[in-house]
Amino acid sequence: MTSIITADFPASRPRRNRRDDFSRRLVQENVLTVNDLIYPVFVKEGTGVIEAVPSMPDVNRYSPDTLMAVAETCVSLGIPVMALFPSIDPSLKTPDGIAATHEDGLIPRTIAMLKKAFPELGILCDVALDPYTSHGQDGLLDENGYVLNDETTEILLQQALTQARAGADYVAPSDMMDGRIGAIRQALEQEKLIYTRIMAYSAKYASAFYGPFRDAVGSATNLGKSNKMTYQMDPANRNEALREIAADIREGADMVMVKPGMPYLDIVRDVKDMFRVPTYAYQVSGEYAMIKAAAQNGWLDHDKVMMESLMCFKRAGADGILTYFSIEAARILTGRQ
Ligand SMILES: NCc1[nH]cc(CCC(=O)O)c1CC(=O)O
Ligand SMILES: [Mg+2]
């Protein structure tokens, strides 16, 4: 990079460009628009359900019928994509999470309903077994409780195929098994599902910021005191994230993701600079909960901190953000209700 040359003071007074609104707008380097937002939602079996998630203020679990109104809001605000996460009935959870592959399951039925009513709204589905396993891990366990890689991938590709057949526009593996992007891509191609996009959770860290999400999908109690450190990444690692991203691009990912978001913006920047592919960040449940809690206490200005946090993702190089703030941010960005 060439060195950045500025004049010395007083020839250079950086405050000149900051003085007026028009000159501030003219030099603004990054913009956040509604096109940058992906809205994660929690789906639950039933009808007429709108159930609050206590650790995520203003976030609910919806049954497929009540979710339709949320989808309509996304469409009217211009939010491009909604991401579905299931809260599965405990009676359907098994050690192998096989209900994830059932064609008549909650997620495939919800996808079909959404695509029928709102074909213009993109639907992204998480590919992972943790909402479906009785132990809360993202894969099959061996006799020592270790998460098996290749055996898990076999089920994940069936789950991804089920979602794609039901009409999902994006499948998004969040499990961190090695080789699963390639396996899913090959399976999709074999079935001529050639337009199903893969958003790879490539650099996904073993983070404590997922706590409220695990409450929302009901995997927290099943997981108990165990953790996901044998497959999700160590928060201390940076180079490893780049290797994970490179592998997923080679295996057929259309876009890659870094997760969590705000504490990992350095990784987002590395990925964008290094690979120049569509790069996304997930502002996860714990990040959302922190801002909501501080705002509820009157310690932070909710809207200002929300918008600043989202802009920071853009500045770090993200092409888009998965955020539970999508609807609130879109209202501010569009001036619409
Ligand atoms: N594999 C499932 C999954 N997909 C997204 C999240 C977290 C999202 C959030 O915290 O908002 C998780 C939780 C986990 O890996 O334990
Ligand atoms: Mg990987």
Side-chain angles (χ1 to χ4, degrees):
M1 230 217 227
T2 52
S3 63
I4 294 167
I5 299 166
T6 62
D8 294 328
F9 179 84
S12 167
R13 286 184 185 268
R15 291 183 59 192
R16 287 186 199 116
N17 276 331
R18 292 181 204 137
R19 183 166 174 269
D20 299 294
D21 180 63
F22 63 79
S23 59
R24 284 194 294 270
R25 282 191 286 129
L26 202 61
V27 298
Q28 183 169 21
E29 297 177 35
N30 292 288
V31 280
L32 175 73
T33 78
V34 76
N35 296 330
D36 299 318
L37 303 173
I38 299 175
Y39 187 44
V41 294
F42 299 107
V43 196
K44 194 185 157 141
E45 206 65 76
T47 50
V49 179
I50 301 181
E51 191 177 275
V53 179
S55 52
M56 301 180 72
D58 304 324
V59 166
N60 301 302
R61 299 183 194 94
Y62 296 93
S63 48
D65 60 326
T66 57
L67 187 65
M68 295 301 131
V70 180
E72 191 170 10
T73 304
C74 288
V75 171
S76 70
L77 290 168
I79 293 170
V81 174
M82 205 160 89
L84 308 184
F85 295 90
S87 171
I88 295 296
D89 193 286
S91 69
L92 291 175
K93 298 193 186 192
T94 54
D96 63 2
I98 198 69
T101 68
H102 290 170
E103 311 240 311
D104 60 350
L106 172 63
I107 289 291
R109 275 184 283 119
T110 307
I111 299 167
M113 277 175 74
L114 286 165
K115 290 309 298 184
K116 185 154 182 257
F118 305 103
E120 69 274 51
L121 179 64
I123 299 299
L124 181 144
C125 292
D126 208 60
V127 179
L129 301 183
D130 52 325
Y132 301 91
T133 54
S134 42
H135 44 72
Q137 293 287 357
D138 291 34
L140 305 186
L141 306 182
D142 72 6
E143 60 281 6
N144 302 314
Y146 182 76
V147 174
L148 294 162
N149 194 86
D150 300 4
E151 294 80 354
T152 297
T153 300
E154 280 304 311
I155 301 183
L156 291 172
L157 72 86
Q158 295 301 334
Q159 180 184 20
L161 280 175
T162 303
Q163 295 168 346
R165 288 181 195 129
D169 300 292
Y170 298 83
V171 292
S174 72
D175 55 285
M176 287 299 276
M177 297 303 114
D178 296 331
R180 90 284 203 213
I181 300 298
I184 291 170
R185 175 57 76 208
Q186 196 189 346
L188 290 170
E189 287 288 320
Q190 261 164 20
E191 278 215 20
K192 303 263 185 292
L193 291 161
I194 63 170
Y195 294 115
T196 308
R197 301 140 189 109
I198 301 179
M199 176 182 275
Y201 287 71
S202 303
K204 177 169 178 181
Y205 288 85
S207 172
F209 285 99
Y210 307 149
F213 173 97
R214 292 176 188 168
D215 296 337
V217 301
S219 66
T221 41
N222 299 13
L223 199 56
K225 283 200 180 350
S226 46
N227 62 57
K228 301 191 176 184
M229 284 169 63
T230 70
Y231 45 106
Q232 298 178 351
M233 285 176 47
D234 184 340
N237 294 355
R238 177 178 175 193
N239 295 326
E240 188 184 351
L242 300 176
R243 295 197 297 274
E244 284 281 7
I245 300 266
D248 286 355
I249 295 168
R250 282 198 305 268
E251 289 177 32
D254 299 290
M255 47 236 290
V256 296
M257 193 209 296
V258 174
K259 178 183 175 193
M262 286 159 60
Y264 295 81
L265 289 181
D266 57 326
I267 308 297
V268 176
R269 171 48 64 195
D270 279 348
V271 167
K272 193 63 187 181
D273 285 349
M274 186 83 73
F275 299 103
R276 306 210 174 266
V277 296
T279 302
Y280 297 80
Y282 199 142
Q283 184 179 48
V284 300
S285 56
E287 303 174 56
Y288 174 84
M290 286 195 302
I291 294 175
K292 283 283 172 183
Q296 284 182 347
N297 273 300
W299 296 339
L300 288 176
D301 181 316
H302 179 278
D303 288 359
K304 287 199 175 115
V305 171
M306 167 178 77
M307 297 309 279
E308 181 179 333
S309 73
L310 296 174
M311 179 60 87
C312 290
F313 285 103
K314 297 295 311 228
R315 194 199 60 237
D319 294 291
I321 309 127
L322 290 96
T323 175
Y324 303 97
F325 287 121
S326 292
I327 287 189
E328 289 174 282
R331 289 199 165 114
I332 292 174
L333 289 167
T334 62
R336 279 181 246 146
Q337 274 314 297

